[in-house]
Amino acid sequence: MLINKNSFKIDGVSFAPYLEKVKFGRHKIWHKDAGRNNLSGTYTGSLVGTFPKFTLSFGPLTQAQLEYITPYLEKAEQSINYYSNKLKRQNTLACYSGDYEYENQNTLDNLDENEPFEISFIARTKE
Amino acid sequence: MKAHTQTFKDNLIKLGKELDAKVTYTIDGTETILDGESLSSVNPHYEGAILKSVMKQVDITSDVDIPVGTVINVQFGMKYEDEPYEYVDYGNYVVKESKYQEDTRKYYLLCDDKMLYAMKEYEPVEVTYPVTVRDYLSAICTSISVTFGSASDTFTHYDETIPAELYDNTYTYRDVLDEIAEVTASTICINKDDELEVRYINKKTGSGGVEGLPSDYVALEYIESNGTPYINTQVNNSNSIDYEVEFAFTQFGSAQRVFGSSMNSYGSSFGVNSSGNLLINHMNRSVTFSQLELEQKYNFKKEGQYFYLDGNRVYTGASGVISGTNKMGLFCSIKYGPEYYAHAKVYSVKIYDGTTLIRDMVPCKNASDIVGMYDVVNQTFYASNNTGTFIEGDEVVTIDEIDENYIKDTRAEFGEKYGPINSIVLSRSAESDNVYLRDEDSVAENGLCEIKIVDNQIMNDNTRDRFLQGILDRLDGLEYYTNDFESIGITYLDLCDYYNVKIFDNVYPCLMLNDEVEIGDGLNEIIYTEMPSQTVTDYTKADKTDRRINQAYLMVDKQNQRIDAVVSTQEDFQDSLSQLSVTVDGIQSKVELNYDFVRETSGNNYISVADIQQGGIVEFKITGTAISEGLLKLHITNNDPEYIELPISTLLKQGDVADELSIEAVYNEDTKLYEMHVFIDKKLDYINNQIVTRTSSNNFLLDNDTDILQTESNDDLLLEDYVEGKQDLGIINLPLQEGEHTFSIDGFTGLDYYLKYAVLNNITSEFALKKHIVSEINQSPEQIGISAEKIKLEGYTTINNGFSVDLQGNMTCNNATINGTINSNNGTIAGWNMTAEGLTNGAVKIMNNGGTTIYTIADIIILRGHINGTTGFEIPSILQSRYDLNGDGVLDLKDLVLLQNILKINIE
């Protein structure tokens, strides 16, 4: 969760000024052995782990703001520093990110802004 | 069974368990640990069997390459929720091969355990033969640079000896280990500590199923003290302390306490008095009850003031305050120190403080084999606080059980039951020469299930049946179900573990022999045990032992490249042996017969034989107290002579009797005959080393018949001796015809007769005690030698194309040099015709009656002398015709001329 404006950083840069909200997901990834595949029909399986997923919602950004954050979003891997409810402290995880799309309804300049957009960062390792 | 906790086993079936694997290795002193971050998959697997050596392997897919030859340790880890990972140790492996896979950009590592080192050509090990199996195995371990983990174990046949080197470089060390596994009725493998282990079927979990007992501890039925070791439970006695103890006494005779403290009014303990009566000591009062039974297991419980034996209240103690710091002892009571040591067994101890269980002590031995009690409440091991060690009871055997929650629905096949094994067969010679041992009760009850061990070099001699009992003892009764199932991952079962699979109401005993674990994207384990190859021996042609006599076997000695086939029989008086030996140098065959013609017989008053050889006496004894002095005549019926006088003994005086008369046959090398030596034994009386003859109760006559000794009390002077009384009476002529005879000495009854003699036989007509007949054929690349008393060749026979004998016995050869006799009455020789009467050549004859038509110069001289009248004798009329060559009836010059013309000599 966001506990202050600096509690969410990407590669050491606070993204709070650009964000409208952050959705913290905790995704359980299962091995292939999971399922009702034993003789008693009990659902069993091995848990690969719980992997945090951060869905960032950016508000309308100006051209300068977008140009500033784009290099961080373009990288294959990002280092996300966030506050972990489980660990009860700031934690850093290496993440990969998904696609993102932004939409312009007007010509973008420093006065006009694009439409809000989202991007997800998924932890490479277990928390 | 790999060390693990019950929690580990429980977590295996929990949803959401998390997996890990660790590969640890050291290169140049630097330890590296690869974990789940670097490892894509770790797949340990092996294919095993009983009576074999087994190599375990692991296949690893890794981001990191590990050099070939590196020794790695592999562990599988699992945790549930926030617990730490618990790892089971899969042991060490050697990286055998590393392949880089371009598609996945990972390394695929193939690793074997150190059994790999045995996969090389065998070289004779450095030991001094004979060597025990255990020492030999130790030497093999040295040769392949593996630590021998069973070096102190008394495994089956560990002390049997191997007489000589049995293997060569056609074997690998692994082959030899396979054969030793058969000898030891085991499975030979590398354990987790990298040691070569002689492993047997493991039917117990390490903890015996006791919850809380560490898996490397072994639960015991009980521990026993012989009166010295005891345990201080470190529990202070007080009013709130209650306890429950299961125990049995092993010896009475002194006051003993099983448990408690004994500080006067602060004490509370129980045991027995010197008579074995139950004794309760509580609040400074001792109360005795009925006598306990030795070796009887009892349950004793204290609850407050109340005391129970086997659930029955036996005593209500006084109320009062127990205080102080005195501890409670086990196998004793503790006052200032331990006292009243017990000779007893303890099966369990539970101590409560109020309602709180503060000690739950179970008999066990720890990982160092120290026997004691383990408190599962405080996870503390209590060994003896005194000198001496506890005697361990039987290990608690509980078979691990896997239920349907562990078995996947993709593959769960449990086939037919194998066993129970109840027969061991040792086989050789293309499985034609078998010895066996069976548990006949089991065979009758369950049918036959045999294990056949074929051509084992160590168990290949003619006393190999000595191995049968040990092997059967190990395997008798073993049974398990064949199986092939896929599990969610059990992982802690190890090679040779015996376990049960329970699928709802069906329970299948199984034996862990083949395993494939897949640790990667999830956990999966395939376990299977196939039906061993079944053999059925024809027991009518097998034997329970290798016969020491009457043998028939074919023995293959691979070390010396030799095959021996032997058939032999041994009867009372005849041994027969046929033997064929095949080596790379040749073939030898031998057939021999040994006859023993010596027989024995005995009788009283007389002795009769029906079939003695001529002169066939070997030993003849006549024993009795009635042989007196004077002339003795040996009467031999049906013999010539019928009576033979025996020499007179000077030992026998008037009225004396001999103790034994013997006629012993001594073979004379010069005459080639047995001489009959006559001996007589007589107990002689001695006084002061002088031979004497008692003449009256106190009078003795010296040997010289002159002096008389008189004693008042002679008993202490009188000595008797046999040896000095034996006298050689010399040689007698004892002609004996073959056939039936009766021997006796006329006039004497009650004598015992013994005769050793040579029996008549149809083997030889000559006098013989033994006869050895042997024929041999020795074949080498250069020649064949035939040796026999008789050699029989039937059929048209040729030698080198120049010598032949046809079916009628007609011999043809190119030349002959004959040094001996030629007998013939037909044919020709040197142009002469041979007849029964002599040799003829036309008119010329040499007749075997002395007549001849051959003339010599002497005939010319005789005829001329006759004509000239100078011979001085008349030619006998019988010879007239010899010289009347012209047949005119007159011997004259015409005949002389004709004779000179015959001889081509003209003597003027």
Side-chain angles (χ1 to χ4, degrees):
Chain A
M1 62 182 177
L2 289 174
I3 57 173
N4 59 53
K5 66 177 184 179
N6 289 320
S7 66
F8 193 90
K9 296 178 180 177
I10 298 177
D11 291 339
V13 175
S14 175
F15 265 54
Y18 314 104
L19 295 171
E20 280 194 341
K21 65 177 180 180
V22 178
K23 187 162 69 176
F24 292 87
R26 300 187 64 81
H27 293 255
K28 296 187 178 76
I29 308 298
W30 295 89
H31 281 295
K32 285 197 302 188
D33 59 8
R36 294 186 188 280
N37 50 21
N38 68 5
L39 291 179
S40 60
T42 307
Y43 195 96
T44 62
S46 306
L47 184 65
V48 178
T50 302
F51 295 81
K53 179 180 177 182
F54 310 98
T55 305
L56 277 57
S57 297
F58 291 92
L61 299 176
T62 65
Q63 179 184 355
Q65 289 172 319
L66 198 55
E67 287 173 350
Y68 179 76
I69 66 169
T70 293
Y72 298 100
L73 305 184
E74 292 290 311
K75 289 164 67 178
E77 179 180 323
Q78 292 85 10
S79 173
I80 304 291
N81 181 262
Y82 68 105
Y83 183 83
S84 167
N85 293 331
K86 180 182 177 187
L87 302 177
K88 299 176 183 175
R89 60 172 169 78
Q90 285 292 126
N91 189 42
T92 300
L93 283 175
C95 295
Y96 62 93
S97 53
D99 301 337
Y100 69 97
E101 294 173 335
Y102 57 89
E103 186 178 345
N104 288 340
Q105 293 188 353
N106 300 300
T107 303
L108 195 62
D109 57 27
N110 283 330
L111 297 176
D112 294 321
E113 297 173 330
N114 66 331
E115 298 299 317
F117 66 97
E118 289 185 348
I119 184 170
S120 296
F121 297 87
I122 302 163
R124 289 184 59 206
T125 60
K126 289 181 275 188
E127 185 176 57
Chain B
M1 195 163 289
K2 301 181 189 77
H4 67 286
T5 64
Q6 183 63 37
T7 302
F8 181 92
K9 180 179 176 182
D10 295 340
N11 285 346
L12 283 169
I13 54 174
K14 286 183 178 172
L15 178 64
K17 63 183 183 288
E18 295 182 44
L19 315 176
D20 191 23
K22 279 199 301 193
V23 173
T24 307
Y25 57 95
T26 300
I27 297 176
D28 296 333
T30 302
E31 183 182 85
T32 303
I33 300 175
L34 304 181
D35 58 15
E37 288 295 317
S38 307
L39 301 169
S40 298
S41 66
V42 177
N43 300 330
H45 58 94
Y46 55 80
E47 293 179 357
I50 55 174
L51 309 186
K52 288 286 184 187
S53 63
V54 177
M55 183 165 72
K56 299 177 190 173
Q57 298 167 300
V58 63
D59 306 334
I60 297 171
T61 306
S62 165
D63 294 338
V64 179
D65 189 21
I66 304 175
V68 170
T70 304
V71 176
I72 63 172
N73 174 261
V74 175
Q75 296 185 26
F76 164 68
M78 184 188 63
K79 77 181 186 80
Y80 182 68
E81 295 183 335
D82 294 332
E83 298 167 354
Y85 278 104
E86 178 180 344
Y87 289 89
V88 291
D89 193 345
Y90 272 80
N92 295 344
Y93 301 82
V94 182
V95 178
K96 185 177 68 175
E97 189 178 350
S98 172
K99 293 186 285 192
Y100 182 68
Q101 298 177 317
E102 287 289 356
D103 53 347
T104 60
R105 305 183 75 178
K106 294 181 185 296
Y107 293 92
Y108 184 60
L109 307 170
L110 301 175
C111 314
D112 296 339
D113 70 14
K114 285 189 177 178
M115 190 62 76
L116 176 69
Y117 296 163
M119 302 289 284
K120 62 181 181 180
E121 197 173 274
Y122 179 83
E123 293 178 5
V125 294
E126 293 183 2
V127 294
T128 302
Y129 292 97
V131 63
T132 65
V133 170
R134 190 168 66 184
D135 288 345
Y136 180 67
L137 196 47
S138 179
I140 287 180
C141 287
T142 302
S143 296
I144 61 175
S145 302
V146 173
T147 304
F148 184 29
S150 302
S152 301
D153 294 351
T154 54
F155 48 81
T156 299
H157 298 140
Y158 77 97
D159 55 352
E160 280 288 347
T161 54
I162 299 170
E165 180 61 74
L166 300 172
Y167 304 99
D168 58 20
N169 59 9
T170 61
Y171 289 82
T172 64
Y173 287 100
R174 182 85 185 274
D175 295 332
V176 177
L177 292 177
D178 283 345
E179 297 215 339
I180 294 175
E182 292 174 337
V183 171
T184 55
S186 70
T187 298
I188 293 180
C189 61
I190 303 295
N191 66 20
K192 71 177 180 61
D193 297 319
D194 260 357
E195 299 168 334
L196 187 138
E197 177 183 335
V198 177
R199 180 172 293 183
Y200 291 105
I201 292 162
N202 177 24
K203 283 192 173 183
K204 60 183 179 298
T205 62
S207 59
V210 176
E211 182 71 21
L213 189 64
S215 61
D216 53 351
Y217 280 50
V218 176
L220 304 173
E221 295 284 348
Y222 60 84
I223 65 170
E224 179 182 343
S225 173
N226 59 3
T228 304
Y230 77 94
I231 286 172
N232 185 335
T233 64
Q234 300 297 332
V235 173
N236 287 330
N237 201 0
S238 72
N239 285 79
S240 60
I241 295 299
D242 289 330
Y243 49 83
E244 182 174 4
V245 179
E246 290 182 302
F247 69 99
F249 276 100
T250 58
Q251 180 180 317
F252 296 141
S254 60
Q256 305 172 54
R257 301 289 186 273
V258 175
F259 181 77
S261 66
S262 51
M263 181 65 90
N264 299 329
S265 61
Y266 308 130
S268 181
S269 64
F270 79 94
V272 289
N273 63 12
S274 59
S275 300
N277 296 89
L278 175 66
L279 182 148
I280 298 172
N281 181 288
H282 184 67
M283 298 300 295
N284 204 27
R285 290 190 62 186
S286 288
V287 187
T288 56
F289 302 88
S290 57
Q291 193 176 43
L292 301 180
E293 296 286 335
L294 284 175
E295 299 291 351
Q296 173 72 40
K297 183 179 177 182
Y298 295 99
N299 178 293
F300 188 88
K301 186 164 70 173
K302 171 187 177 293
E303 284 181 350
Q305 299 171 249
Y306 305 110
F307 296 84
Y308 301 84
L309 185 68
D310 287 342
N312 301 314
R313 187 192 293 181
V314 293
Y315 180 60
T316 302
S319 60
V321 178
I322 297 175
S323 62
T325 58
N326 46 328
K327 306 292 186 185
M328 305 196 78
L330 185 60
F331 294 104
C332 68
S333 61
I334 296 177
K335 195 174 182 181
Y336 301 107
E339 60 184 13
Y340 301 123
Y341 293 103
H343 294 260
K345 299 172 180 175
V346 167
Y347 298 83
S348 69
V349 176
K350 283 184 169 64
I351 306 175
Y352 300 86
D353 189 350
T355 58
T356 304
L357 181 65
I358 59 171
R359 297 284 189 276
D360 185 0
M361 305 174 79
V362 294
C364 63
K365 57 183 176 182
N366 66 12
S368 302
D369 282 342
I370 298 172
V371 179
M373 302 287 282
Y374 186 84
D375 174 22
V376 298
V377 173
N378 300 291
Q379 299 180 346
T380 303
F381 179 69
Y382 291 86
S384 171
N385 292 97
N386 201 358
T387 57
T389 55
F390 290 113
I391 301 165
E392 64 180 84
D394 291 339
E395 294 180 4
V396 176
V397 176
T398 52
I399 298 176
D400 191 69
E401 187 169 276
I402 304 299
D403 64 22
E404 60 276 358
N405 289 306
Y406 291 82
I407 311 298
K408 284 191 174 179
D409 58 3
T410 50
R411 189 194 305 186
E413 296 175 6
F414 293 87
E416 52 186 311
K417 188 176 75 172
Y418 172 70
I421 294 170
N422 48 33
S423 177
I424 305 297
V425 180
L426 298 181
S427 181
R428 65 187 176 200
S429 310
E431 303 188 30
S432 63
D433 181 4
N434 302 315
V435 293
Y436 68 92
L437 182 64
R438 308 198 312 185
D439 177 346
E440 295 295 352
D441 291 341
S442 175
V443 172
E445 184 177 349
N446 306 295
L448 177 70
C449 180
E450 72 174 27
I451 285 186
K452 179 178 280 188
I453 298 171
V454 180
D455 288 337
N456 186 295
Q457 294 298 297
I458 298 173
M459 300 186 290
N460 196 32
D461 60 23
N462 279 340
T463 59
R464 61 191 165 138
D465 52 286
R466 71 187 190 278
F467 290 97
L468 290 168
Q469 188 66 60
I471 297 173
L472 184 62
D473 286 347
R474 278 287 179 192
L475 300 175
D476 192 10
L478 175 63
E479 59 184 350
Y480 54 84
Y481 279 85
T482 60
N483 57 65
D484 185 359
F485 65 92
E486 192 170 356
S487 81
I488 61 165
I490 299 167
T491 68
Y492 62 80
L493 288 176
D494 207 348
L495 174 67
C496 290
D497 281 346
Y498 196 84
Y499 61 99
N500 286 333
V501 174
K502 178 178 175 296
I503 300 179
F504 303 110
D505 294 332
N506 298 324
V507 177
Y508 301 96
C510 296
L511 182 61
M512 187 70 163
L513 292 178
N514 302 283
D515 191 25
E516 296 174 9
V517 180
E518 298 170 11
I519 307 164
D521 188 7
L523 178 63
N524 194 57
E525 184 170 8
I526 295 170
I527 295 172
Y528 62 97
T529 302
E530 298 169 330
M531 180 66 73
S533 58
Q534 302 274 13
T535 62
V536 179
T537 297
D538 183 353
Y539 286 89
T540 62
K541 295 182 175 60
D543 217 334
K544 292 185 177 180
T545 62
D546 277 310
R547 291 169 182 255
R548 313 301 186 249
I549 58 175
N550 298 343
Q551 296 177 321
Y553 64 85
L554 184 64
M555 189 182 297
V556 179
D557 182 350
K558 294 181 180 177
Q559 168 70 15
N560 296 306
Q561 291 188 287
R562 180 186 176 97
I563 298 173
D564 285 305
V566 173
V567 178
S568 68
T569 62
Q570 190 174 73
E571 299 169 3
D572 285 348
F573 302 106
Q574 177 179 318
D575 300 342
S576 304
L577 170 73
S578 295
Q579 185 172 26
L580 176 68
S581 299
V582 181
T583 67
V584 291
D585 297 323
I587 301 172
Q588 292 181 310
S589 63
K590 180 170 72 173
V591 180
E592 64 180 328
L593 266 172
N594 284 300
Y595 293 101
D596 183 1
F597 302 130
V598 177
R599 305 286 186 274
E600 294 176 292
T601 185
S602 59
N604 186 252
N605 289 327
Y606 63 89
I607 198 168
S608 294
V609 292
D611 49 4
I612 195 168
Q613 291 183 28
Q614 182 176 354
I617 294 175
V618 178
E619 189 175 349
F620 185 39
K621 283 186 179 179
I622 305 165
T623 310
T625 58
I627 303 170
S628 62
E629 92 292 355
L631 186 62
L632 298 175
K633 286 185 179 179
L634 178 62
H635 184 192
I636 308 174
T637 62
N638 194 29
N639 196 51
D640 182 19
E642 193 170 342
Y643 290 93
I644 295 173
E645 293 183 357
L646 301 179
I648 295 173
S649 170
T650 58
L651 289 178
L652 300 179
K653 308 299 182 187
Q654 181 69 37
D656 275 352
V657 289
D659 299 298
E660 181 176 288
L661 176 72
S662 59
I663 302 171
E664 294 178 7
V666 177
Y667 189 69
N668 188 318
E669 286 289 346
D670 295 330
T671 63
K672 308 298 182 189
L673 296 172
Y674 277 88
E675 295 173 344
M676 300 298 149
H677 290 249
V678 182
F679 299 92
I680 196 158
D681 278 9
K682 168 74 179 75
K683 271 185 188 174
L684 297 177
D685 296 336
Y686 282 77
I687 294 179
N688 297 332
N689 293 323
Q690 296 181 85
I691 299 173
V692 297
T693 303
R694 184 190 291 265
T695 57
S696 67
S697 62
N698 288 340
N699 292 335
F700 297 88
L701 185 66
L702 281 177
D703 197 34
N704 58 15
D705 292 347
T706 55
D707 299 330
I708 293 176
L709 295 175
Q710 287 187 323
T711 62
E712 292 182 357
S713 175
N714 54 68
D715 289 344
D716 56 340
L717 299 174
L718 189 63
L719 297 172
E720 294 181 340
D721 196 300
Y722 275 103
V723 177
E724 293 296 329
K726 186 167 186 175
Q727 185 181 35
D728 187 348
L729 302 184
I731 300 171
I732 62 168
N733 182 24
L734 205 163
L736 183 71
Q737 280 80 57
E738 69 175 38
E740 182 176 347
H741 303 291
T742 296
F743 298 80
S744 63
I745 292 183
D746 283 354
F748 293 90
T749 58
L751 299 179
D752 292 322
Y753 293 80
Y754 165 80
L755 176 63
K756 181 188 284 185
Y757 66 101
V759 71
L760 281 172
N761 61 82
N762 56 8
I763 306 301
T764 177
S765 59
E766 299 175 350
F767 173 78
L769 301 181
K770 294 180 184 299
K771 181 70 174 177
H772 177 65
I773 304 173
V774 59
S775 66
E776 292 179 282
I777 300 175
N778 294 323
Q779 181 180 357
S780 69
E782 296 82 18
Q783 68 176 36
I784 297 176
I786 301 175
S787 169
E789 286 199 353
K790 298 172 184 174
I791 298 173
K792 188 175 182 180
L793 301 176
E794 297 294 334
Y796 186 84
T797 305
T798 64
I799 300 175
N800 296 331
N801 294 321
F803 182 96
S804 66
V805 180
D806 67 15
L807 294 174
Q808 287 69 46
N810 300 312
M811 180 186 82
T812 303
C813 66
N814 293 335
N815 295 291
T817 299
I818 300 170
N819 297 318
T821 303
I822 297 176
N823 294 316
S824 179
N825 58 9
N826 195 14
T828 61
I829 184 168
W832 292 75
N833 294 318
M834 293 186 285
T835 69
E837 291 75 32
L839 298 172
T840 65
N841 187 353
V844 182
K845 298 177 181 177
I846 303 173
M847 312 310 289
N848 53 23
N849 62 2
T852 179
T853 59
I854 296 176
Y855 297 94
T856 68
I857 293 175
D859 291 308
I860 294 176
I861 295 170
I862 291 170
L863 182 57
R864 192 165 63 179
H866 173 76
I867 295 170
N868 296 339
T870 58
T871 55
F873 65 88
E874 287 292 324
I875 293 176
S877 58
I878 192 172
L879 294 178
Q880 287 283 326
S881 61
R882 173 176 172 81
Y883 294 114
D884 186 11
L885 294 176
N886 58 4
D888 61 1
V890 179
L891 300 181
D892 55 14
L893 281 175
K894 296 175 186 173
D895 296 312
L896 182 61
V897 171
L898 289 172
L899 182 59
Q900 288 179 339
N901 287 339
I902 291 171
L903 293 173
K904 302 185 188 317
I905 294 174
N906 186 8
I907 299 175
E908 294 298 329

